Amino acid sequence: MVISSMGGKILNNVIIKFPDIAVFQPVINGVAGNLVGIQASRLSTGLHKTSRLGKLPEDITTCSLINPLSTFSVPCCSFSTMMSNNATAAVVLLFLVVPGHLVFNLAIGLSQGFGVITAFFLVLYLLAAVLQVGSLLHMANIMVHSMWSRGVNPDNSAIPYLTAMGDLLGGAFLAAVFQIIDWTD
């Protein structure tokens, strides 16, 4: 709740200066929340299928989960089929960010006008979206495995934390996009 409140505080502070941010906030946070929710569920299902709650599979314990390569690189934990499959899924989900956001920005432009959506805005916005989802996918990898090893079922606990972090990161990155554009105008 505290994490979500911080995201709301960011939005409340910047919406006065940048009213157009309100149109993009639900999109950037919604896409990120859905994509990271998919990955967290995949990770948790894989753990449910291969081990008992409280004990990580042996091949995962040798991977350094803090290293982002364990989230996005198949060769990093190639000896673990589960980690390789999870890395492949994370990369696929990350690749969905740009086309998904382009479609949503087109819809926003068609309904609200293309005044805000310039080439520079799109580059910054897509960079923010990729950073947000990439960070969340890595957090999901760490959080789900950490919760599992502590005997906490990540199906019940991980997604609310991840979506709250997504709201916070999305609000902060989106505010940064609008601020950078304001500085360059």
Side-chain angles (χ1 to χ4, degrees):
M1 190 158 145
V2 171
I3 300 169
S4 288
S5 296
M6 291 187 313
K9 190 109 173 115
I10 291 171
L11 180 60
N12 285 339
N13 288 336
V14 297
I15 202 163
I16 295 162
K17 186 172 182 181
F18 309 115
D20 291 329
I21 200 170
V23 177
F24 297 95
Q25 185 81 18
V27 174
I28 199 166
N29 291 342
V31 169
N34 287 327
L35 293 176
V36 77
I38 290 167
Q39 184 69 350
S41 293
R42 284 189 84 267
L43 294 167
S44 184
T45 299
L47 290 169
H48 278 290
K49 288 167 50 175
T50 59
S51 62
R52 63 177 171 68
L53 189 61
K55 180 149 175 54
L56 286 172
E58 198 63 39
D59 56 345
I60 291 178
T61 59
T62 57
C63 290
S64 172
L65 296 175
I66 298 295
N67 183 348
L69 291 177
S70 70
T71 301
F72 299 106
S73 173
V74 172
C76 184
C77 292
S78 59
F79 50 85
S80 170
T81 305
M82 185 196 308
M83 289 300 286
S84 293
N85 291 342
N86 291 337
T88 301
V91 169
V92 168
L93 291 170
L94 197 57
F95 280 147
L96 290 173
V97 172
V98 171
H101 277 290
L102 286 174
V103 168
F104 283 120
N105 274 270
L106 176 62
I108 290 169
L110 291 173
S111 67
Q112 306 290 317
F114 289 94
V116 175
I117 305 173
T118 63
F120 185 53
F121 171 82
L122 274 177
V123 168
L124 292 177
Y125 178 89
L126 293 173
L127 179 63
V130 168
L131 285 172
Q132 177 197 28
V133 173
S135 300
L136 290 171
L137 289 170
H138 185 54
M139 285 181 217
N141 195 38
I142 295 168
M143 187 179 291
V144 167
H145 289 99
S146 177
M147 286 179 168
W148 186 267
S149 68
R150 289 177 171 78
V152 176
N153 187 347
D155 278 330
N156 303 329
S157 305
I159 292 176
Y161 285 111
L162 291 166
T163 55
M165 279 303 296
D167 291 350
L168 176 62
L169 290 175
F173 290 161
L174 201 52
V177 166
F178 276 84
Q179 187 61 61
I180 290 168
I181 289 170
D182 186 55
W183 287 335
T184 59
D185 281 345

